[in-house]
Amino acid sequence: MRVTILGSAAGGGFPQWNCACPNCSRVRAGAPHLKARSQAQVVVCVDAGECYLLNASPDLRSQILSTPLLAPSDSPRHTPIAGIFLTSADVDSVAGLLSLREFQPLHIYATPSVRRIVLEENRMFRVLERANPPVSWHDVPWNAWFSLGGEASGRASSLRCRAVPLGNVYPDYVSETLRRALPPEEAVIGLAFAQGNKQIFYAPALPGRSNEWKDWAGSSDVCLLDGTFWNDEELISTGVGTKTAREIGHLQLSGAGGLLQEFGSANRGRKILIHINNTNPILDEQSPEHREVRDAGWEIAYDGMEIDL
Ligand SMILES: [Zn+2]
């Protein structure tokens, strides 16, 4: 399988349109040691005709257009996108679904709670039902591998998937009434994909309230993990927000209890940070924080990065 990083930044992208933090100002000015990044988007391709999107970023349309392997072939209406997996109902994860509204039958995999938030709290997404046949939603089962492709193409895929519950932070736009009705464990999931004896694990948000993800990340050939914030108080100290990283569902990278310490040398494969917020100092390739991450054996995802397994 081939994993392609179409976008590697957190919500807002890098630079963010209304942000003049030191990182955004420098990348806007063309500093050579910072790379612009679009909002986090990953695609897993089994072969040229069978690709799965991991989330649907707000930048999805331009990300698809700049990726030849996602171009349509043969008939007037066609896409190699066999399915879309949603790891949460965050705007960063679901907004791109509206860029897929051109009457294309699609398969979307999510927890029942994320499906309810998308369809009940945001009726605009029902635009996807105009396709013939309409978009099909599939519940991702817990604690079991499931095979892909059967629904989309009529033939079983060689790719298997497994959902791992990660925590209980629902987006703040969800109404209090619905939030109370939803089981906490369906808010944020990680995804393991396996083909043969190769495995990847994707978790762009780690709320840090369970440890099951460590086993999945540690046993994978490649893990793509939450690189959103360097410090828990990064949004406050840079003057762009009032909440801590933990309060909005992200485990910080540095310090006691941070990702670098929590997930050290126990893994066997490549460990890559993704979903990097524009305030994060690791985006500056000359910063001590960038060096610290690299010295600890981590890679930092960039737009266009390709991983073959
Ligand atoms: Zn910024």
Side-chain angles (χ1 to χ4, degrees), residues 19 21 24 278-279:
C19 189
C21 74
C24 287
N278 57 74
T279 52

Side-chain angles (χ1 to χ4, degrees), residues 22-34:
N23 276 347
C24 287
S25 299
R26 274 178 278 173
V27 76
R28 208 176 269 122
H33 44 93
L34 296 98

Side-chain angles (χ1 to χ4, degrees), residues 6 18 33 74 84 104 127 147 160 174-175 184 190 202 222 230 238 240 250 254 256 272 276 292:
L6 306 185
N18 64 345
H33 44 93
D74 47 77
I84 302 134
Q104 182 69 45
V127 72
S147 293
R160 293 172 297 136
V174 179
S175 68
Y202 184 58
V222 176
W230 178 252
T238 52
V240 300
H250 295 285
S254 66
I272 303 172
I276 304 157
E292 186 175 338

Side-chain angles (χ1 to χ4, degrees), residues 114-131:
V114 167
R115 171 169 43 82
R116 283 191 64 184
I117 292 169
V118 171
L119 295 179
E120 293 179 21
E121 295 265 293
N122 301 277
R123 290 190 57 83
M124 192 186 293
F125 286 95
R126 299 204 170 204
V127 72
L128 296 166
E129 295 172 5
R130 299 180 306 174

Side-chain angles (χ1 to χ4, degrees), residues 1 24 53 85 90 105 117 153 173 176 220 230 243 248 285:
M1 74 183 124
C24 287
L53 300 180
F85 285 83
D90 285 351
I117 292 169
S153 64
Y173 71 76
E176 199 56 43
S220 294
W230 178 252
K243 291 188 173 177
I248 57 173
E285 293 165 12

